Amino acid sequence: MASSPLASPDPPPLAGLRVVCAAVYVPALVAARRLRDAGAEVAVVVPPGGDPLELVARGWYDALHRGCATHRLDLKAAADAARFDELLAGADVLVTAFRPSALDRLGLDWASLHARHPSLCHVAITGFAPPDAEEPGHDLTYQARAGLLCPPAMPRTLLADLAGGERAALAATALLLARERGGGARRADVSLAESATSLADPLRFGLTASDGILGGALPGYGLYAARDGWVALAALEPHFWLRLGAALGVPDAALDRRELERIFAAESAEHWERWARENAIPLTAVRTPQTPNDE
């Protein structure tokens, strides 16, 4: 995973602040990683049995945990709950991904938490926003509700989880800023379903619909089969479109989707990517994701 540009200042913006992340699965870990990238000291608390992500995607789990201290605690056990409370005593932000009823049982409801740790901010990630925060769900169901699926194909990535993690990191930063401005410690709810709904906005408003300019209606913005593989062309602005036609030697009036299909099919995707780089045209070969070398 590439480091965040927020980590470049010296010292980084969240240096000296402490975050405790008590959750399994992706969203909270993404939030914790973003906050660590911004300079925060992060402690991740996982149950004794570990995080399921560790079993099914160990490389990603390690990448998200890199630079974070990991504590295996059973928050239902008195001794471990006391150790967890000690972590919270020195923390600035708690990030959780429990349902409200689970937070209540663990004594982590906002009233109890704020009474014990008045300077601690809390970001609570849930599937749905209150009053529906008890409703179960996962990334697949959030995307389904938002209209982001094309059955029977499964989604290529965890849009709701990743967007929810980014939102949670932003919420934590906003809470810290408000606290530093004298507003005191507060709590914020982050809904994964709402994150998915916001990601569907380009589709809901027609931009990426099949007849939208970014959904296939514009020949300068689309996917084309090359001799081997595919290329993604994003000659959206008029100057890119004109440059494309000039570089291909095709008059603007004659350049349409059918002509582009014929031209791109004649050479490899790698050839067209090199050609686009030489001609400053936004085009790239369509790739299969690869695990970065640092993971």
Side-chain angles (χ1 to χ4, degrees):
M1 175 178 291
S3 61
S4 165
L6 289 176
S8 57
D10 187 18
L14 298 186
L17 296 174
R18 295 183 178 181
V19 175
V20 173
C21 173
V24 294
Y25 295 121
V26 173
L29 291 180
V30 168
R33 176 62 191 263
R34 292 293 174 262
L35 295 169
R36 191 206 66 78
D37 287 343
E41 179 183 327
V42 176
V44 179
V45 175
V46 297
D51 186 330
L53 187 65
E54 185 177 8
L55 300 177
V56 299
R58 181 57 186 265
W60 193 21
Y61 174 89
D62 289 343
L64 291 173
H65 277 255
R66 188 168 296 129
C68 303
T70 301
H71 303 265
R72 294 184 182 268
L73 299 175
D74 181 359
L75 300 185
K76 298 177 184 178
D80 282 0
R83 289 178 58 195
F84 180 66
D85 217 49
E86 290 175 2
L87 288 174
L88 297 183
D92 298 281
V93 178
L94 169 65
V95 179
T96 61
F98 297 108
R99 297 182 194 174
S101 58
L103 291 174
D104 291 345
R105 289 193 297 271
L106 295 171
L108 298 176
D109 57 283
W110 178 241
S112 301
L113 191 64
H114 191 55
R116 295 198 307 275
H117 308 290
S119 64
L120 180 69
C121 299
H122 180 198
V123 177
I125 301 173
T126 57
F128 297 90
D132 301 317
E134 290 291 330
E135 186 174 342
H138 271 299
D139 185 274
L140 185 66
T141 55
Y142 306 139
Q143 289 201 47
R145 286 200 183 195
L148 290 171
L149 300 183
C150 293
M154 291 290 286
R156 296 272 291 181
T157 191
L158 304 177
L159 290 178
D161 285 355
L162 292 170
E166 301 289 351
R167 281 192 171 200
L170 176 60
T173 306
L175 291 176
L176 289 169
L177 179 60
R179 190 190 69 174
E180 294 305 306
R181 288 178 169 176
R186 302 176 187 176
R187 182 181 188 273
D189 293 291
V190 172
S191 161
L192 300 178
E194 287 185 354
S195 298
T197 298
S198 69
L199 291 176
D201 281 350
L203 179 59
R204 291 194 303 118
F205 289 100
L207 191 63
T208 57
S210 59
D211 58 350
I213 63 168
L214 302 187
L218 195 68
Y221 194 92
L223 301 173
Y224 291 91
R227 189 176 63 201
D228 62 338
W230 290 74
V231 296
L233 172 67
L236 184 61
E237 293 82 4
H239 65 277
F240 281 131
W241 178 251
L242 293 174
R243 187 181 301 166
L244 174 69
L248 291 173
V250 179
D252 179 57
L255 196 60
D256 56 17
R257 183 172 297 278
R258 182 172 297 181
E259 180 65 7
L260 287 173
E261 289 174 347
R262 183 190 67 80
I263 292 171
F264 287 131
E267 301 287 351
S268 68
E270 183 181 358
H271 163 85
W272 288 118
E273 187 170 73
R274 288 196 306 269
W275 172 87
R277 192 178 302 116
E278 293 167 357
N279 289 279
I281 292 170
L283 176 148
T284 188
V286 177
R287 291 176 169 79
T288 300
Q290 299 294 321
T291 302
N293 292 333
D294 64 349
E295 294 183 15

